[in-house]
Amino acid sequence: MTRRSAAELSPDDIEFDHTAESGQSFENALEKARDGDRLTVDDAVELLSTGTEQRGIDPHRKEQVLELADRRRAEIVGEDVTFVANLNNNVTTACNVGCLFCNFKNTAHQFEADHDGNHGGFTKTPAESRQIVDETLDLGISEVCSVSGLHPAFALDAEHHEILAGYDNPASEVNYKLPERYTTDPGTYTDQMRAMSVDDVHLHSITPEEAYHARRGTDWSYERVYSRLREAGLDTAPGTAAEILVDEVRDVVCPGKITSADWIEAMEGAMAAGLGTTATIMYGHVETEMHRAMHLKRVRDLQDRTGGIAEFVPLSFVHQNTPLYKHGVVDGGASDAEDELMIAVSRLFLDNIDNIQSSWVKYGNAKGLKLLNCGANDFMGTILSEEITKRAGGSYGEFRSVADYVDMVSAIGRTPVERSTDYQTKRPIEIDGGPYGPTLGPRADGTPMLSTEKSTDTQLSADD
Ligand code: SF4
């Protein structure tokens, strides 16, 4: 399929080779899940759809799948609900990739020094990133998570800048423009890693898409790129930008992004470089249950080969304000029942990944908690942001305190547990009336991160 904008795309144009059909029955698939047999793609399609022979989701069958998944969760990881005390420090919103499900980016030319008008986005220098991390470490975080747009002036390092600048037409050939063209220079990827790696805080950054950007125009392997980043301070890589790992879906929702094969190659490169990873799925847009099932299989195969994926994160498509929705290509996102089944089937299918995340950013508090009874065991992180730390004492839509976690998790009868990014260190929190704060960060001492008003449900829209 040629690259098209959402305005040019009509739902009638979307025709897939992979449709939600299977040679399996729902009953057989459920029986296999109950027996703990390894599930096939056809099994997963049956469970995700509660049977392909009928239309819509059958509520009774759905409950059977959710119950099995909840039981499997209890067998594998018990009653703990984990979370990480973390900061989101995204470096730039400048991006030219144009994914049709994204409302995070701002077209990169708007960041050029001679551009008139206010784009509302941001780019941070390495010094600014360092200052934000340094200040937030005092609040007790143990992880910095950083995912950014693909700024044309971003390069891996000085050598990469030289290679990119050597192209005849770097803007069109390798999506590169000199940093001097922009109001703010983001520095290099290695500069940013060094800047954010303060006091050995765990740095979780560089998605496969960013790694592709950090090697564009070269013949460097992903392993080499990730090794350089690791030397600069990177600890683990987020497996976002996965969307749906079937190219006929990517051709519709993110035609400018790397292919499924590239995503997998980048993940293998990260793990070959000694980095742990995570994996995601972004579902609920144009894909079918078959695509979701094929995606799960690709992630499970990758984990069979590498063993380096610590958690799987289902991300429900947040449709408001996205080109796909505004231009009528989709009329909404996944239903609650689809969200529940996605979490449940992820638990049942991914027999080699222990941790399944329920993301409060995507689902909100109420549904996020419900999903912890559908197979999920992790409830994401505190997600402090620069804006929040600057406005300490205000009202924080995009933040969950340790006390919030204690309240919410104990309300469903489970144990709140602060964890490290890689799940290797876990601290069950004793419910003793508080106050509650993080203890795993380099400067954490159990003091509450911020004394705040209650945070509220908020949904963010970018998947990466
Ligand atoms: S999803 Fe990521 S790569 Fe795609 S447009 Fe948004 S910021 Fe750019």
Side-chain angles (χ1 to χ4, degrees):
M1 186 177 290
T2 51
R3 184 172 178 170
R4 280 182 289 186
S5 71
E8 295 166 331
L9 194 62
S10 137
D12 297 336
D13 296 337
I14 301 173
E15 262 185 50
F16 290 131
D17 292 337
H18 299 289
T19 54
E21 293 166 349
S22 89
Q24 178 60 292
S25 71
F26 174 80
E27 286 77 12
N28 282 347
L30 192 70
E31 194 59 35
K32 284 179 69 179
R34 191 174 288 124
D35 292 346
D37 293 345
R38 186 162 249 214
L39 301 178
T40 63
V41 167
D42 278 1
D43 295 331
V45 170
E46 288 298 314
L47 297 178
L48 284 164
S49 62
T50 64
T52 51
E53 84 288 0
Q54 37 109 58
R55 285 175 70 83
I57 289 175
D58 179 287
H60 174 66
R61 286 180 169 185
K62 183 194 78 172
E63 288 309 317
Q64 290 179 302
V65 178
L66 303 190
E67 201 185 310
L68 275 187
D70 192 43
R71 207 181 310 154
R72 180 72 52 78
R73 180 272 307 159
E75 286 163 11
I76 305 287
V77 287
E79 300 306 316
D80 290 355
V81 171
T82 48
F83 67 93
V84 62
N86 62 355
L87 161 78
N88 255 22
N89 181 53
N90 303 327
V91 171
T92 179
T93 55
C95 191
N96 284 334
V97 178
C99 301
L100 303 186
F101 53 79
C102 178
N103 71 355
F104 169 73
K105 82 311 184 158
N106 304 98
T107 313
H109 76 86
Q110 298 175 87
F111 292 70
E112 293 180 26
D114 58 5
H115 179 80
D116 286 335
N118 187 358
H119 50 71
F122 61 83
T123 298
K124 294 168 190 160
T125 63
E128 287 168 332
S129 286
R130 188 171 191 86
Q131 187 183 350
I132 292 160
V133 173
D134 191 33
E135 286 170 4
T136 317
L137 273 168
D138 289 338
L139 303 177
I141 55 156
S142 62
E143 170 192 295
V144 175
C145 178
S146 180
V147 175
S148 301
L150 306 183
H151 195 303
F154 242 150
L156 179 66
D157 52 16
E159 184 187 356
H160 194 203
H161 268 301
E162 256 181 54
I163 294 170
L164 292 168
Y167 275 80
D168 290 340
N169 295 298
S172 59
E173 289 178 90
V174 284
N175 185 19
Y176 177 75
K177 289 185 183 175
L178 291 169
E180 299 81 70
R181 292 278 292 269
Y182 294 89
T183 310
T184 307
D185 176 359
T188 65
Y189 282 111
T190 49
D191 287 342
Q192 286 283 355
M193 295 302 105
R194 269 190 288 275
M196 288 189 271
S197 195
V198 183
D199 281 4
D200 220 14
V201 68
H202 188 107
L203 183 53
H204 187 57
S205 188
I206 311 294
T207 69
E209 189 74 33
E210 291 176 288
Y212 176 84
H213 200 59
R215 67 183 279 267
R216 69 196 189 283
T218 74
D219 58 3
W220 298 342
S221 69
Y222 283 107
E223 180 179 353
R224 175 190 160 146
V225 168
Y226 273 115
S227 295
R228 296 284 286 273
L229 293 161
R230 187 179 177 200
E231 285 162 18
L234 181 64
D235 293 296
T236 51
T240 51
E243 326 313 355
I244 296 284
L245 291 171
V246 183
D247 287 339
E248 64 177 1
V249 177
R250 302 176 83 77
D251 287 344
V252 174
V253 300
C254 52
K257 249 187 174 148
I258 56 175
T259 63
S260 308
D262 259 320
W263 187 90
I264 289 166
E265 191 186 336
M267 291 283 284
E268 286 178 333
M271 290 185 264
L275 297 168
T277 64
T278 60
T280 59
I281 179 173
M282 204 272 292
Y283 66 95
H285 36 91
V286 301
E287 86 292 351
T288 67
E289 286 88 352
M290 176 57 80
H291 297 121
R292 296 178 198 173
M294 291 170 71
H295 180 106
L296 290 176
K297 175 79 162 57
R298 285 177 181 169
V299 171
R300 190 175 70 187
D301 289 348
L302 176 64
Q303 179 73 333
D304 277 345
R305 292 197 298 278
T306 61
I309 303 171
E311 69 181 6
F312 184 67
V313 186
L315 300 167
S316 196
F317 171 55
V318 177
H319 61 280
Q320 297 89 347
N321 302 322
T322 64
L324 278 179
Y325 180 66
K326 283 185 185 162
H327 295 285
V329 182
V330 300
D331 56 11
S335 66
D336 287 351
E338 285 180 284
D339 287 332
E340 291 163 10
L341 285 163
M342 189 70 240
I343 294 277
V345 178
S346 300
R347 168 61 70 191
L348 295 168
F349 192 92
L350 298 173
D351 53 9
N352 53 6
I353 299 178
D354 285 349
N355 303 297
I356 307 292
Q357 185 179 98
S358 166
S359 160
W360 61 255
V361 169
K362 296 291 183 188
Y363 302 116
N365 285 353
K367 200 199 303 187
L369 286 169
K370 166 78 170 78
L371 296 174
L372 292 168
N373 289 323
C374 302
N377 67 299
D378 184 74
F379 206 19
M380 208 183 183
T382 56
I383 316 273
L384 282 161
S385 72
E386 172 202 10
E387 293 71 28
I388 288 166
T389 55
K390 265 190 194 153
R391 291 190 287 111
S395 171
Y396 314 112
E398 299 168 19
F399 165 64
R400 295 293 177 274
S401 68
V402 177
D404 289 336
Y405 274 107
V406 169
D407 280 354
M408 292 190 288
V409 173
S410 56
I412 60 166
R414 305 264 285 276
T415 309
V417 176
E418 185 191 358
R419 66 165 169 90
S420 57
T421 308
D422 59 7
Y423 290 81
Q424 294 304 306
T425 308
K426 293 182 186 172
R427 177 186 65 108
I429 298 179
E430 203 177 319
I431 314 289
D432 57 6
Y436 303 105
T439 62
L440 301 185
R443 297 184 203 161
D445 61 4
T447 305
M449 299 177 97
L450 296 168
S451 60
T452 70
E453 298 166 21
K454 278 271 179 233
S455 44
T456 53
D457 270 4
T458 299
Q459 292 191 325
L460 305 178
S461 298
D463 86 307
D464 63 5

